[in-house]
Amino acid sequence: MDHDLSRRNAIGGIAALGALGLSGSGALGTQPKVRPARFVPTEMGYDPQKQEFVLPDLPYAYNALEPVIDEQTMRIHHDKHHAGYVNGANAAIAKLNEYLWQGGDPALIQHWERQLSFHMGGHINHTLFWAAMKPESEGGGGKPEGNLLAQIEKDFGTYNAFMEYFTSAATKVEGSGWGWLVYEPASRRLMVLQMQNQQDMMFASAVPLLGIDVWEHAYYLKYQNRRADYAKAFMRIVNWEEVSRRYEAARA
Ligand code: MN3
């Protein structure tokens, strides 16, 4: 009986990790054969010793995305803003653990949950953002190929129609947020969504494929109020191989 219970708990735990895309990951020091659609703990900078997230380095130099995104913007964006989300997520997790193990007013759970939703959202969004960009000189930009291109053409008509729609949706996000290309597993189709802040208006089953950060901190030093110019230029540094990998993993 005890054995069955603990086995069931273990299975439940694995299912919960799966929902977060963390299953079959590098947590035990082994790399999965197929990387999951979303994240593995190492990519998210999770340190099992400290039991907290540590800001992962950029996958390229700070000036690698010039002239589309300037070095100073990248430094501030990664070292200050992304770091802030990592710290905020750790603080919220610590607080929620405190309520879980040391009691406290359950009414405050929702406060820390909102904090976690915002900051963990920020950490996840930025982790996906950095990896979905690539210097122009190393093959960034261009067009997607293969299955992803076929699905874009099926769902949006043409690649150019998609690009217009995606950059326009990103440009028109009210206030701070993101433009996303996501895969919707139930209908097996692509969608373009506008996210507010770091988490709002995204539904739980949406698999994020390509996001463009349209918070002012992402572009203001170089583009000022010209968000549309930034969104258009962003397409020159998209890492379509990484976006395709996410797409293939999402529909596998
Ligand atoms: Mn940002």
Side-chain angles (χ1 to χ4, degrees), residues 139-157:
K143 274 173 71 170
E145 295 172 358
N147 294 333
L148 177 58
L149 179 61
Q151 175 119 33
I152 284 174
E153 288 173 344
K154 177 171 161 281
D155 293 338
F156 299 98

Side-chain angles (χ1 to χ4, degrees), residues 77-78 81-82 85 122 125-126 129-130 177-178 198 213-218 230:
H77 198 173
H78 177 267
H81 291 278
H82 188 175
Y85 299 122
N125 295 340
H126 287 84
F129 182 57
W130 309 130
W178 295 72
Q198 299 293 355
D213 188 343
V214 292
W215 282 59
E216 287 185 346
H217 67 226
Y230 158 69

